Amino acid sequence: MKRGIHKIKGAKKAKKEPGESLGEKLARLFEIPADAYGNRPKVTAIGRGEVLIENFKGIMDFQNGMIRINTNNGVIKVTGDGLNIREITSEEIIIGGKISNIDYDA
Amino acid sequence: MFLVHLWNYIRGYVIIIVTGRSLERFINICSKRQILLWDIVRKDAESASMKASIRGFKLMRPAAKKSGCRVHIKKKCGLPFCLYRFKKKKGFKVGLLLFASLLILSTSIIWDIEIICGKPELIPQVLNVLEVESIGRGSFKRGLDPKNIASRIALEVEGLAWVGVEIKGVKLSVTVKDSIEPPVLIKNNESFNIVAERDGLITNMEVYAGNALVKEGDTVRKGQVLVSGKLQSKNPDFGTRDVHALGKVIAKTWYESSLPVSMVYTQRLKTQKSHDTVYLRFLDRKLKIGGEPPFEIYETQTVDKFLSPFGIKLPIGLTVETSFEIMERQVDLTMDEAISVALETAKKDLEARMPEDCVVIDEIVKQVTSESGTVYIQIVVECEEDIAGLVPVLE
C-alpha cells in the first residue's frame, strides 16, 4: 500500500518536472533572472565550507554527516564532515562544515 | 560577521539544548514561525545545541510541544543578561550615577587657559584681568560670556588692537593682538627745556631747536639747563619765542664705587643634606604634604611635576620644593684674592646704577689704604652717554 502510493507520487513528479510553469516561461521570455521569479531553490556553495540554499521547504534529516533539505524541485542532500546549520530562517538555510557532496533527488 | 555577532550580543541570546526524536520537525516549525536559529550542531542522535534570540526562545514553546522536544537553556549570553545582573546590584547603580555626574561636572568647568599673544609682557596683564573677573582654572563654563570677557580685557589692558575669547571644550582660549604704539608727538607750541640728567663733561652737542646755553667742553651739573626753550631774538625789541627744545647732548660721565677689601670671605657651601617638601597641586590650589625643612640656612629649588599620560598635561600634579642645607664658612683670603672678590662686588654695584645706553670708555681701579689700616678698592668708570632730558618750562 505504502509502496504503491509512493510510486504514484513519484510518477506524478516525473511528469511535472520537465515542464515549466507559465510564469516561469514568461520570466524566461522577458529575461528576468531565474532566481527572481518562482520558488525554485537556489543553491550557492562558497568554497567548501558553506552552502546557502534559498527557497527551501524544510529540513528532512539532520545529522553530523548528512543534511537533507526538501525543496520544490525535490530533495537536496548535502553530505560532508561535521555539518552544522549556521543559520536557518523561513527563506534560507546556511550549512557549514566540510562539504563533500551536494546531491539532488536523494 | 563580527557585526552580526555584536548585534546578537547586544540583543542577547541563549544557547539551548533540544532533545527529542524529531529535531528536524522542531527546526522546521521554528523557521516557519520566524524564529531565527543559528549555529545548530548535532550532539548525538537525540539532541542538538543551537542559539536563539530571547524573543525566539519565548515563542519556542508551541514548537517544542508540537514536535515533542524538550528545550533546556545551557547558557544565557549578551548584554541584557549582563545588565540584569547589574540591575540587582545597588552599588553599580550608584557608581554609574556618580560616573555620569562626574563626567558632566568635569566637562562643565574650565581646565585650561591658553593665551596667544605676540608680546609676552601682556600675558600677566590679561591673566590679571581674568583674575579680577574671577575666571580661572576650575570656574564653571556656564555664565561665562566670551564677548563680555573680551571687551573687559580690551578695556583693562592697554595697547591691544583686538581681543578674541573662545571656549573650546574645557579650554578658554584668549587671543590678543597688540597694537603698535603711536609715535610721540612733539608739539611745537609747547615750551620745553633740555636739562642735564647727570653731572658730566660735554663732548658733543647737536641742537635741533632751542637756544644752547652751554658748549662742548663745558662741565655741567645735574639739573642745569643745557638748551633753553626760550628763543631769544637778536634784536631785543622782538622779545622771545617759546619753542620745544630738541637736541642731543653727549657727555662724559663718571661712576664710582668703593668698597673695603675684606680679607675674610663667607663661603656658602651646600651640604649633603636636603629636604623635600611636597605639595599636591590641583588646578591652582596647593596642598602641603610634609613639614618645613629642618635647616637654619637653606636654598630652595622648586620643581613642578605634571601628571601627563599620553602627552596630555593634566591639572593635577606634585610640586616638590627641595631645600638644600647651606653651610657658611669663613675663608681667609690672600690679598690678591680679596681684591678680586671686592672688585667683582663693586662692578656688580656699578652695573646696577649705570643707564643702559651708556658706552664705557675707560675703567680705573685704585687701591686706597685708609688711616685706620683698612684697604679700600675704588673703581671709576668713564662713560659717554646722552644726558639730555626734557623738562617743560613752567610759566
PDB file of all heavy atoms in Angstrom, chain A residues 57-62 84-90, chain B residues 24 27-28 31-32 34 36-42:
ATOM      1  N   LYS A  57      11.896  24.238   1.530  1.00  0.00           N
ATOM      2  CA  LYS A  57      10.631  23.990   2.230  1.00  0.00           C
ATOM      3  C   LYS A  57      10.860  23.610   3.688  1.00  0.00           C
ATOM      4  O   LYS A  57      10.115  24.030   4.566  1.00  0.00           O
ATOM      5  CB  LYS A  57       9.875  22.865   1.541  1.00  0.00           C
ATOM      6  CG  LYS A  57       9.056  23.330   0.346  1.00  0.00           C
ATOM      7  CD  LYS A  57       8.653  22.132  -0.453  1.00  0.00           C
ATOM      8  CE  LYS A  57       7.212  22.156  -0.897  1.00  0.00           C
ATOM      9  NZ  LYS A  57       6.912  20.909  -1.633  1.00  0.00           N
ATOM     10  N   GLY A  58      11.866  22.844   3.916  1.00  0.00           N
ATOM     11  CA  GLY A  58      12.140  22.434   5.292  1.00  0.00           C
ATOM     12  C   GLY A  58      13.243  21.409   5.302  1.00  0.00           C
ATOM     13  O   GLY A  58      13.640  20.894   4.250  1.00  0.00           O
ATOM     14  N   ILE A  59      13.771  21.139   6.500  1.00  0.00           N
ATOM     15  CA  ILE A  59      14.810  20.108   6.552  1.00  0.00           C
ATOM     16  C   ILE A  59      14.139  18.772   6.869  1.00  0.00           C
ATOM     17  O   ILE A  59      13.164  18.699   7.620  1.00  0.00           O
ATOM     18  CB  ILE A  59      15.934  20.438   7.569  1.00  0.00           C
ATOM     19  CG1 ILE A  59      15.377  20.703   8.964  1.00  0.00           C
ATOM     20  CG2 ILE A  59      16.756  21.608   7.101  1.00  0.00           C
ATOM     21  CD1 ILE A  59      16.440  20.814  10.010  1.00  0.00           C
ATOM     22  N   MET A  60      14.672  17.745   6.230  1.00  0.00           N
ATOM     23  CA  MET A  60      14.093  16.422   6.420  1.00  0.00           C
ATOM     24  C   MET A  60      14.926  15.586   7.370  1.00  0.00           C
ATOM     25  O   MET A  60      14.422  14.785   8.130  1.00  0.00           O
ATOM     26  CB  MET A  60      13.975  15.711   5.072  1.00  0.00           C
ATOM     27  CG  MET A  60      12.953  16.374   4.170  1.00  0.00           C
ATOM     28  SD  MET A  60      12.969  15.656   2.556  1.00  0.00           S
ATOM     29  CE  MET A  60      12.177  14.101   2.882  1.00  0.00           C
ATOM     30  N   ASP A  61      16.199  15.777   7.271  1.00  0.00           N
ATOM     31  CA  ASP A  61      17.107  14.965   8.053  1.00  0.00           C
ATOM     32  C   ASP A  61      18.298  15.832   8.465  1.00  0.00           C
ATOM     33  O   ASP A  61      18.791  16.609   7.643  1.00  0.00           O
ATOM     34  CB  ASP A  61      17.583  13.782   7.196  1.00  0.00           C
ATOM     35  CG  ASP A  61      17.814  12.558   8.054  1.00  0.00           C
ATOM     36  OD1 ASP A  61      17.891  12.727   9.289  1.00  0.00           O
ATOM     37  OD2 ASP A  61      17.911  11.459   7.490  1.00  0.00           O
ATOM     38  N   PHE A  62      18.686  15.673   9.691  1.00  0.00           N
ATOM     39  CA  PHE A  62      19.837  16.482  10.127  1.00  0.00           C
ATOM     40  C   PHE A  62      20.735  15.613  10.981  1.00  0.00           C
ATOM     41  O   PHE A  62      20.374  15.227  12.076  1.00  0.00           O
ATOM     42  CB  PHE A  62      19.318  17.712  10.896  1.00  0.00           C
ATOM     43  CG  PHE A  62      20.409  18.537  11.523  1.00  0.00           C
ATOM     44  CD1 PHE A  62      21.610  18.754  10.844  1.00  0.00           C
ATOM     45  CD2 PHE A  62      20.261  19.083  12.788  1.00  0.00           C
ATOM     46  CE1 PHE A  62      22.606  19.497  11.418  1.00  0.00           C
ATOM     47  CE2 PHE A  62      21.260  19.826  13.369  1.00  0.00           C
ATOM     48  CZ  PHE A  62      22.438  20.041  12.674  1.00  0.00           C
ATOM     49  N   ASN A  84      26.924  21.523  10.209  1.00  0.00           N
ATOM     50  CA  ASN A  84      26.052  22.230  11.154  1.00  0.00           C
ATOM     51  C   ASN A  84      25.226  23.257  10.396  1.00  0.00           C
ATOM     52  O   ASN A  84      25.564  23.623   9.259  1.00  0.00           O
ATOM     53  CB  ASN A  84      26.848  22.876  12.280  1.00  0.00           C
ATOM     54  CG  ASN A  84      27.865  23.854  11.757  1.00  0.00           C
ATOM     55  OD1 ASN A  84      28.044  24.001  10.555  1.00  0.00           O
ATOM     56  ND2 ASN A  84      28.551  24.528  12.662  1.00  0.00           N
ATOM     57  N   ILE A  85      24.169  23.699  11.026  1.00  0.00           N
ATOM     58  CA  ILE A  85      23.352  24.731  10.383  1.00  0.00           C
ATOM     59  C   ILE A  85      23.759  26.062  10.980  1.00  0.00           C
ATOM     60  O   ILE A  85      23.573  26.328  12.166  1.00  0.00           O
ATOM     61  CB  ILE A  85      21.853  24.459  10.616  1.00  0.00           C
ATOM     62  CG1 ILE A  85      21.466  23.113   9.996  1.00  0.00           C
ATOM     63  CG2 ILE A  85      21.011  25.569   9.998  1.00  0.00           C
ATOM     64  CD1 ILE A  85      20.078  22.659  10.353  1.00  0.00           C
ATOM     65  N   ARG A  86      24.354  26.872  10.138  1.00  0.00           N
ATOM     66  CA  ARG A  86      24.845  28.163  10.634  1.00  0.00           C
ATOM     67  C   ARG A  86      23.686  29.074  10.966  1.00  0.00           C
ATOM     68  O   ARG A  86      23.731  29.819  11.919  1.00  0.00           O
ATOM     69  CB  ARG A  86      25.715  28.829   9.565  1.00  0.00           C
ATOM     70  CG  ARG A  86      27.016  28.114   9.331  1.00  0.00           C
ATOM     71  CD  ARG A  86      28.192  28.971   9.793  1.00  0.00           C
ATOM     72  NE  ARG A  86      29.417  28.213   9.621  1.00  0.00           N
ATOM     73  CZ  ARG A  86      30.226  28.365   8.570  1.00  0.00           C
ATOM     74  NH1 ARG A  86      29.924  29.217   7.617  1.00  0.00           N
ATOM     75  NH2 ARG A  86      31.317  27.643   8.479  1.00  0.00           N
ATOM     76  N   GLU A  87      22.688  29.047  10.095  1.00  0.00           N
ATOM     77  CA  GLU A  87      21.554  29.932  10.289  1.00  0.00           C
ATOM     78  C   GLU A  87      20.368  29.330   9.568  1.00  0.00           C
ATOM     79  O   GLU A  87      20.533  28.763   8.475  1.00  0.00           O
ATOM     80  CB  GLU A  87      21.886  31.303   9.687  1.00  0.00           C
ATOM     81  CG  GLU A  87      21.228  32.443  10.410  1.00  0.00           C
ATOM     82  CD  GLU A  87      21.667  33.775   9.813  1.00  0.00           C
ATOM     83  OE1 GLU A  87      22.840  34.130   9.986  1.00  0.00           O
ATOM     84  OE2 GLU A  87      20.835  34.423   9.177  1.00  0.00           O
ATOM     85  N   ILE A  88      19.209  29.453  10.151  1.00  0.00           N
ATOM     86  CA  ILE A  88      18.029  28.978   9.446  1.00  0.00           C
ATOM     87  C   ILE A  88      16.886  29.961   9.639  1.00  0.00           C
ATOM     88  O   ILE A  88      16.582  30.375  10.750  1.00  0.00           O
ATOM     89  CB  ILE A  88      17.651  27.528   9.874  1.00  0.00           C
ATOM     90  CG1 ILE A  88      16.423  27.059   9.090  1.00  0.00           C
ATOM     91  CG2 ILE A  88      17.424  27.412  11.367  1.00  0.00           C
ATOM     92  CD1 ILE A  88      16.202  25.557   9.164  1.00  0.00           C
ATOM     93  N   THR A  89      16.313  30.398   8.525  1.00  0.00           N
ATOM     94  CA  THR A  89      15.107  31.226   8.555  1.00  0.00           C
ATOM     95  C   THR A  89      14.101  30.560   7.629  1.00  0.00           C
ATOM     96  O   THR A  89      14.385  29.510   7.051  1.00  0.00           O
ATOM     97  CB  THR A  89      15.402  32.647   8.065  1.00  0.00           C
ATOM     98  OG1 THR A  89      15.788  32.574   6.705  1.00  0.00           O
ATOM     99  CG2 THR A  89      16.478  33.330   8.877  1.00  0.00           C
ATOM    100  N   SER A  90      12.955  31.177   7.463  1.00  0.00           N
ATOM    101  CA  SER A  90      11.954  30.545   6.613  1.00  0.00           C
ATOM    102  C   SER A  90      12.347  30.601   5.137  1.00  0.00           C
ATOM    103  O   SER A  90      11.849  29.842   4.338  1.00  0.00           O
ATOM    104  CB  SER A  90      10.597  31.187   6.834  1.00  0.00           C
ATOM    105  OG  SER A  90      10.710  32.574   6.648  1.00  0.00           O
TER     106      SER A  90
ATOM    107  N   GLU B  24      14.297  17.627  13.534  1.00  0.00           N
ATOM    108  CA  GLU B  24      14.098  18.304  12.249  1.00  0.00           C
ATOM    109  C   GLU B  24      12.775  19.050  12.232  1.00  0.00           C
ATOM    110  O   GLU B  24      12.678  20.178  11.748  1.00  0.00           O
ATOM    111  CB  GLU B  24      14.147  17.298  11.099  1.00  0.00           C
ATOM    112  CG  GLU B  24      15.515  16.716  10.833  1.00  0.00           C
ATOM    113  CD  GLU B  24      15.833  15.522  11.729  1.00  0.00           C
ATOM    114  OE1 GLU B  24      14.941  15.087  12.491  1.00  0.00           O
ATOM    115  OE2 GLU B  24      16.975  15.048  11.687  1.00  0.00           O
ATOM    116  N   ILE B  27      12.959  22.187  14.215  1.00  0.00           N
ATOM    117  CA  ILE B  27      13.670  23.262  13.489  1.00  0.00           C
ATOM    118  C   ILE B  27      12.778  23.837  12.396  1.00  0.00           C
ATOM    119  O   ILE B  27      12.712  25.056  12.200  1.00  0.00           O
ATOM    120  CB  ILE B  27      14.991  22.715  12.898  1.00  0.00           C
ATOM    121  CG1 ILE B  27      15.943  22.317  14.037  1.00  0.00           C
ATOM    122  CG2 ILE B  27      15.662  23.768  12.032  1.00  0.00           C
ATOM    123  CD1 ILE B  27      17.132  21.506  13.574  1.00  0.00           C
ATOM    124  N   ASN B  28      12.065  22.958  11.693  1.00  0.00           N
ATOM    125  CA  ASN B  28      11.168  23.420  10.634  1.00  0.00           C
ATOM    126  C   ASN B  28      10.079  24.338  11.176  1.00  0.00           C
ATOM    127  O   ASN B  28       9.808  25.399  10.601  1.00  0.00           O
ATOM    128  CB  ASN B  28      10.529  22.237   9.936  1.00  0.00           C
ATOM    129  CG  ASN B  28      11.496  21.592   8.946  1.00  0.00           C
ATOM    130  OD1 ASN B  28      12.420  22.264   8.492  1.00  0.00           O
ATOM    131  ND2 ASN B  28      11.308  20.331   8.663  1.00  0.00           N
ATOM    132  N   SER B  31      11.491  27.702  12.042  1.00  0.00           N
ATOM    133  CA  SER B  31      11.791  28.554  10.900  1.00  0.00           C
ATOM    134  C   SER B  31      10.511  29.071  10.252  1.00  0.00           C
ATOM    135  O   SER B  31      10.480  30.197   9.764  1.00  0.00           O
ATOM    136  CB  SER B  31      12.670  27.823   9.893  1.00  0.00           C
ATOM    137  OG  SER B  31      11.976  26.712   9.379  1.00  0.00           O
ATOM    138  N   LYS B  32       9.470  28.278  10.249  1.00  0.00           N
ATOM    139  CA  LYS B  32       8.179  28.734   9.704  1.00  0.00           C
ATOM    140  C   LYS B  32       7.606  29.862  10.560  1.00  0.00           C
ATOM    141  O   LYS B  32       6.932  30.756  10.060  1.00  0.00           O
ATOM    142  CB  LYS B  32       7.187  27.565   9.667  1.00  0.00           C
ATOM    143  CG  LYS B  32       7.477  26.550   8.577  1.00  0.00           C
ATOM    144  CD  LYS B  32       6.936  27.009   7.258  1.00  0.00           C
ATOM    145  CE  LYS B  32       7.389  26.166   6.089  1.00  0.00           C
ATOM    146  NZ  LYS B  32       8.704  25.562   6.116  1.00  0.00           N
ATOM    147  N   GLN B  34       9.158  32.140  12.031  1.00  0.00           N
ATOM    148  CA  GLN B  34      10.077  33.290  12.044  1.00  0.00           C
ATOM    149  C   GLN B  34      10.930  33.353  13.311  1.00  0.00           C
ATOM    150  O   GLN B  34      11.247  34.427  13.794  1.00  0.00           O
ATOM    151  CB  GLN B  34       9.304  34.618  11.899  1.00  0.00           C
ATOM    152  CG  GLN B  34       8.340  34.693  10.758  1.00  0.00           C
ATOM    153  CD  GLN B  34       9.029  34.738   9.422  1.00  0.00           C
ATOM    154  OE1 GLN B  34      10.144  35.241   9.320  1.00  0.00           O
ATOM    155  NE2 GLN B  34       8.409  34.175   8.397  1.00  0.00           N
ATOM    156  N   LEU B  36      14.450  32.830  14.530  1.00  0.00           N
ATOM    157  CA  LEU B  36      15.780  32.660  13.960  1.00  0.00           C
ATOM    158  C   LEU B  36      16.612  31.737  14.851  1.00  0.00           C
ATOM    159  O   LEU B  36      16.719  31.954  16.049  1.00  0.00           O
ATOM    160  CB  LEU B  36      16.459  34.033  13.838  1.00  0.00           C
ATOM    161  CG  LEU B  36      17.859  34.024  13.261  1.00  0.00           C
ATOM    162  CD1 LEU B  36      17.842  33.661  11.797  1.00  0.00           C
ATOM    163  CD2 LEU B  36      18.531  35.366  13.455  1.00  0.00           C
ATOM    164  N   LEU B  37      17.163  30.719  14.207  1.00  0.00           N
ATOM    165  CA  LEU B  37      18.071  29.812  14.925  1.00  0.00           C
ATOM    166  C   LEU B  37      19.412  29.855  14.222  1.00  0.00           C
ATOM    167  O   LEU B  37      19.472  30.017  13.006  1.00  0.00           O
ATOM    168  CB  LEU B  37      17.524  28.373  14.886  1.00  0.00           C
ATOM    169  CG  LEU B  37      16.177  28.115  15.540  1.00  0.00           C
ATOM    170  CD1 LEU B  37      15.750  26.683  15.259  1.00  0.00           C
ATOM    171  CD2 LEU B  37      16.248  28.341  17.033  1.00  0.00           C
ATOM    172  N   TRP B  38      20.462  29.746  14.989  1.00  0.00           N
ATOM    173  CA  TRP B  38      21.772  29.673  14.341  1.00  0.00           C
ATOM    174  C   TRP B  38      22.726  28.784  15.120  1.00  0.00           C
ATOM    175  O   TRP B  38      22.434  28.425  16.265  1.00  0.00           O
ATOM    176  CB  TRP B  38      22.343  31.058  14.068  1.00  0.00           C
ATOM    177  CG  TRP B  38      22.764  31.867  15.266  1.00  0.00           C
ATOM    178  CD1 TRP B  38      24.005  31.938  15.783  1.00  0.00           C
ATOM    179  CD2 TRP B  38      21.941  32.721  16.065  1.00  0.00           C
ATOM    180  NE1 TRP B  38      24.025  32.777  16.857  1.00  0.00           N
ATOM    181  CE2 TRP B  38      22.769  33.283  17.056  1.00  0.00           C
ATOM    182  CE3 TRP B  38      20.587  33.058  16.044  1.00  0.00           C
ATOM    183  CZ2 TRP B  38      22.289  34.162  18.005  1.00  0.00           C
ATOM    184  CZ3 TRP B  38      20.111  33.936  16.991  1.00  0.00           C
ATOM    185  CH2 TRP B  38      20.969  34.479  17.961  1.00  0.00           C
ATOM    186  N   ASP B  39      23.805  28.438  14.429  1.00  0.00           N
ATOM    187  CA  ASP B  39      24.832  27.537  14.993  1.00  0.00           C
ATOM    188  C   ASP B  39      24.206  26.260  15.566  1.00  0.00           C
ATOM    189  O   ASP B  39      24.415  25.930  16.735  1.00  0.00           O
ATOM    190  CB  ASP B  39      25.642  28.264  16.071  1.00  0.00           C
ATOM    191  CG  ASP B  39      26.561  29.304  15.460  1.00  0.00           C
ATOM    192  OD1 ASP B  39      26.651  29.324  14.218  1.00  0.00           O
ATOM    193  OD2 ASP B  39      27.165  30.076  16.204  1.00  0.00           O
ATOM    194  N   ILE B  40      23.443  25.571  14.720  1.00  0.00           N
ATOM    195  CA  ILE B  40      22.832  24.320  15.165  1.00  0.00           C
ATOM    196  C   ILE B  40      23.852  23.195  14.965  1.00  0.00           C
ATOM    197  O   ILE B  40      24.357  22.998  13.861  1.00  0.00           O
ATOM    198  CB  ILE B  40      21.548  24.013  14.363  1.00  0.00           C
ATOM    199  CG1 ILE B  40      20.610  25.229  14.401  1.00  0.00           C
ATOM    200  CG2 ILE B  40      20.854  22.777  14.913  1.00  0.00           C
ATOM    201  CD1 ILE B  40      19.440  25.118  13.477  1.00  0.00           C
ATOM    202  N   VAL B  41      24.185  22.538  16.032  1.00  0.00           N
ATOM    203  CA  VAL B  41      25.158  21.435  15.956  1.00  0.00           C
ATOM    204  C   VAL B  41      24.515  20.198  16.563  1.00  0.00           C
ATOM    205  O   VAL B  41      23.978  20.241  17.666  1.00  0.00           O
ATOM    206  CB  VAL B  41      26.473  21.800  16.706  1.00  0.00           C
ATOM    207  CG1 VAL B  41      27.460  20.648  16.614  1.00  0.00           C
ATOM    208  CG2 VAL B  41      27.077  23.063  16.168  1.00  0.00           C
ATOM    209  N   ARG B  42      24.608  19.137  15.810  1.00  0.00           N
ATOM    210  CA  ARG B  42      24.062  17.873  16.292  1.00  0.00           C
ATOM    211  C   ARG B  42      24.999  17.320  17.356  1.00  0.00           C
ATOM    212  O   ARG B  42      26.203  17.253  17.139  1.00  0.00           O
ATOM    213  CB  ARG B  42      23.996  16.903  15.112  1.00  0.00           C
ATOM    214  CG  ARG B  42      23.256  15.655  15.386  1.00  0.00           C
ATOM    215  CD  ARG B  42      21.827  15.817  14.961  1.00  0.00           C
ATOM    216  NE  ARG B  42      20.993  14.812  15.576  1.00  0.00           N
ATOM    217  CZ  ARG B  42      19.763  14.575  15.197  1.00  0.00           C
ATOM    218  NH1 ARG B  42      19.234  15.271  14.222  1.00  0.00           N
ATOM    219  NH2 ARG B  42      19.050  13.660  15.787  1.00  0.00           N
TER     220      ARG B  42
END
